Amino acid sequence: MKNFVEELTWRGMIHQMMPGTEELLQKEQVTAYLGIDPTADSLHIGHLCGVMMLRHFQRCGHKPLALIGGATGMIGDPSGKSQERNLLDEATLAHNVKCIREQLSRFLDFDSDAPNKAELVNNYDWMKNFTFLDFARDIGKHITVNYMMAKESVQKRLNGEARDGLSFTEFTYQLLQGYDFLYLNEHKNCKLQLGGADQWGNITTGSELIRRTNGRECFALTCPLVTKSDGRKFGKTESGNIWLDRTRTSPYQFYQFWLNVPDEDAERYIKIFTSLEKEEIDAIIDEHRQDPGRRVLQKRLAEEVTVMVHSQEDLDMAKEASNILFGKSTKDSLLKLDEQTLLDVFAGVPHYEIPREEIVGKAAIELLTASAPVFPSKGEMRKLTQGGGVSLNKEKLSDPNYCISDSDLLDGKYLLAQQGKKKYFLIIAK
């Protein structure tokens, strides 16, 4: 059985750890939990470091609990936030929990008979019938306001980082999260809480609550907040988060994100976001450093994470799509793409939306000079066509008077025109 702390250490995935944690993990099979915020119906790659901690934990022989914050998600955590988040209703939370469970099953074994199979727990299940009076009497009396006020996340909000200060609702968050640890400690024999570096204050409130109520042993371990090499927040692009849900971020966009990370980031990310062994990662990094232009490191990183989050088929399509813009490809390659991937690949090229009747049955030279001004004149298009410089759907156009038919439209509505090797134009039938 692998040493979990050693595994996370060489991967650069430990930020803080309570004394005695490693000794506990070497002594017995340990149950640990990590909380996941269910404010959306998909995880994004900002969640991935924590999820990978759970994955490594299980692979090291221990039992992971993924806690979905169905109750705490109704309140909002002040940690790292500058304003209070929107509160969710029960129906939305139930939907989000179901979707997140499906995504987590790609990383964790929930369904085998192994003694360390993963479990999904929802703190709404034990909080929904807890009255305010019971909570105040049984839990609130154990933690002082002075203790709660001293937390960094609370201090930041109180010292002017938030426009509207800190509501009582948010102030109680650390106590509710602390109760999660106590509940799981008593009902699941959970002795370890995992989380991001920004959760240390909430986690230690939980361990303090356990210490003051039942006196059982409990421990904590956090991973660093992953950033880009320039210090900016990891996982965000100009268009927003990189999601694990394919309808929010297509597999092609997902693959491209990892493929385009800088060398310095790729060396850290391949350790954090894949399950590759140390020897193999070291070999890939060495190979990459010998010839950075081949981008061996980014390619392997993108492949591993895309297959883990999506599938081998999605990776194959993402590669095929990448080759359409940057390599040699054929009409067959275009036909393999689904509509969303096609639009993602050609998102940056000029688009022309034209009524269908102005496309089907029209000569290519009329379409590409009058309806969609791909070429400034018919003479220039004829000249380029004679030189083999015009393509429709990746096939050379030999006759400028070729008549466009329904069968030429990809997905029944798209026509890809190409001028030379690198200039693309997407014509969309309205």
Side-chain angles (χ1 to χ4, degrees), residues 22 73 143 160 198 201 207 250 303 322 339 352 366 409 412 416 418:
E22 186 170 10
I143 301 293
D198 62 337
S207 62
S250 71
E303 289 169 1
S322 298
E339 183 177 11
Y352 298 104
E366 294 293 334
L409 297 182
L416 182 68
Q418 189 174 349

Side-chain angles (χ1 to χ4, degrees), residues 64-80:
L65 304 177
L67 182 144
I68 304 293
T72 41
M74 290 180 169
I75 291 177
D77 176 9
S79 302

Side-chain angles (χ1 to χ4, degrees), residues 96-275:
N96 292 357
V97 169
K98 179 176 179 290
C99 295
I100 290 170
R101 165 68 163 77
E102 290 174 9
Q103 291 181 341
L104 288 173
S105 66
R106 297 198 60 83
F107 298 85
L108 302 170
D109 168 23
F110 286 100
D111 302 314
S112 76
D113 296 325
N116 70 325
K117 75 172 184 178
E119 286 185 45
L120 187 81
V121 293
N122 184 345
N123 61 13
Y124 184 70
D125 294 336
W126 56 82
M127 290 303 303
K128 62 185 176 184
N129 297 319
F130 216 148
T131 69
F132 178 77
L133 290 176
D134 287 340
F135 190 81
R137 183 191 63 200
D138 298 338
I139 305 303
K141 68 179 181 182
H142 293 290
I143 301 293
T144 67
V145 170
N146 290 10
Y147 180 87
M148 296 171 72
M149 290 282 288
K151 297 295 182 182
E152 185 183 4
S153 59
V154 173
Q155 287 296 315
K156 282 185 175 180
R157 291 291 296 271
L158 291 176
N159 291 335
E161 287 194 13
R163 247 194 340 254
D164 305 317
L166 180 69
S167 72
F168 173 76
T169 307
E170 283 192 298
F171 182 59
T172 59
Y173 184 93
Q174 61 174 292
L175 206 52
L176 290 168
Q177 183 172 324
Y179 180 67
D180 289 341
F181 199 0
L182 174 62
Y183 181 91
L184 293 174
N185 181 263
E186 292 181 341
H187 292 81
K188 297 282 187 182
N189 194 31
C190 176
K191 297 181 180 179
L192 175 63
Q193 186 176 169
L194 305 172
D198 62 337
Q199 291 298 310
W200 185 255
N202 292 331
I203 292 172
T204 52
T205 297
S207 62
E208 184 68 8
L209 189 59
I210 291 169
R211 187 183 70 78
R212 295 186 185 188
T213 52
N214 63 32
R216 295 183 182 184
E217 61 179 354
C218 55
F219 300 88
L221 188 155
T222 60
C223 62
L225 297 181
V226 182
T227 58
K228 298 178 182 178
S229 52
D230 60 9
R232 287 183 298 151
K233 193 169 184 178
F234 164 77
K236 291 225 173 190
T237 64
E238 289 179 9
S239 57
N241 285 320
I242 303 296
W243 299 91
L244 273 55
D245 183 341
R246 64 190 304 122
T247 63
R248 290 170 175 256
T249 300
S250 71
Y252 169 76
Q253 290 173 313
F254 188 83
Y255 174 77
Q256 285 292 321
F257 171 83
W258 298 101
L259 198 62
N260 289 305
V261 299
D263 292 355
E264 186 180 340
D265 288 339
E267 289 196 15
R268 288 187 299 127
Y269 295 170
I270 200 166
K271 295 173 185 174
I272 296 171
F273 300 113
T274 78
S275 297

